[in-house]
Amino acid sequence: MRKFLLFFSFILILATVITSCSSSKTYAELLQEEKDNIAQLLADSGYQIIPFNKDTLYNPKTKKFMKMDNGAYIAIISRGDTTDMAAKNSREILSRFKFGRILTNADTTVYSNNQNDQPLKYYYGSSTTYFVNKSVGGLNVNATCEAIQKPLEFLGNGAKIKIIIPAKISYTDLQSKVETIYYPYYTYQFY
């Protein structure tokens, strides 16, 4: 009887150990993987990371992204009209864009609202958008994120950028999934 109890206890412990070992990744592992994926995207595309400077414009020949203090990577294609700046909660922003999700070991699929009648509409300083089509390429865009609004501190009306947004500063529904968004084209039009 004692051998049976010992054998049964061993099987129970073994089953517990096997079922507790999960192949799913921890949040820290996902964040590290995201960092590696961003580095890989930049390296594969021939981009270099340089310190942030709001006056540095993107040059397709040198292909440089700047890392902002919030963790986003930005390339300023055009500063826009810097004599016409957005003020928080006072001007409507209309944005057109192309974006892709950077996923592990997968091609980045690019989506766009450039042909859509409804641009993304929001007020600078507000996280709420009002936008008829709330899903673009499966991304729920019923809110803006801090990373998209941060460039409005130094860009003017008509500005165009490229931006890579890590999950921690991205849209709420992508933070827990640790999905990175890459906008190879994002415009700001003030209304």
Side-chain angles (χ1 to χ4, degrees), residues 36-155:
D36 295 343
N37 288 340
I38 291 171
Q40 189 65 48
L41 170 74
L42 293 170
D44 288 350
S45 301
Y47 289 110
Q48 297 175 11
I49 303 299
I50 61 171
F52 178 75
N53 179 340
K54 69 178 182 170
D55 296 322
T56 300
L57 289 177
Y58 176 73
N59 180 340
K61 291 180 182 176
T62 59
K63 297 177 94 173
K64 295 180 182 177
F65 264 84
M66 298 176 286
K67 187 169 184 179
M68 296 194 315
D69 60 357
N70 66 358
Y73 298 86
I74 188 171
I76 303 168
I77 298 168
S78 167
R79 279 191 224 79
D81 181 359
T82 55
T83 63
D84 186 10
M85 302 290 284
K88 286 193 174 186
N89 299 311
S90 67
R91 294 196 69 183
E92 183 179 60
I93 310 297
L94 308 176
S95 291
R96 301 253 182 223
F97 53 85
K98 287 184 179 182
F99 77 91
R101 289 178 167 158
I102 301 173
L103 304 171
T104 308
N105 300 322
D107 291 332
T108 300
T109 305
V110 176
Y111 302 97
S112 171
N113 81 338
N114 286 336
Q115 304 303 317
N116 193 326
D117 291 338
Q118 297 294 323
L120 182 64
K121 299 177 186 179
Y122 56 94
Y123 282 93
Y124 172 42
S126 172
S127 63
T128 304
T129 63
Y130 49 103
F131 171 72
V132 174
N133 181 4
K134 300 257 191 240
S135 179
V136 178
L139 175 64
N140 182 9
V141 287
N142 63 357
T144 62
C145 62
E146 184 268 336
I148 285 295
Q149 293 196 31
K150 179 82 172 165
L152 291 170
E153 294 175 4
F154 51 86
L155 296 176

Side-chain angles (χ1 to χ4, degrees), residues 27-28 30-31 34 101 139 144-147 165-181:
Y27 187 68
L30 291 172
L31 289 176
E34 175 190 47
R101 289 178 167 158
L139 175 64
T144 62
C145 62
E146 184 268 336
I165 304 173
K168 280 188 168 184
I169 56 172
S170 189
Y171 301 96
T172 306
D173 56 338
L174 297 182
Q175 290 177 0
S176 62
K177 297 176 190 175
V178 190
E179 285 189 30
T180 308
I181 294 291

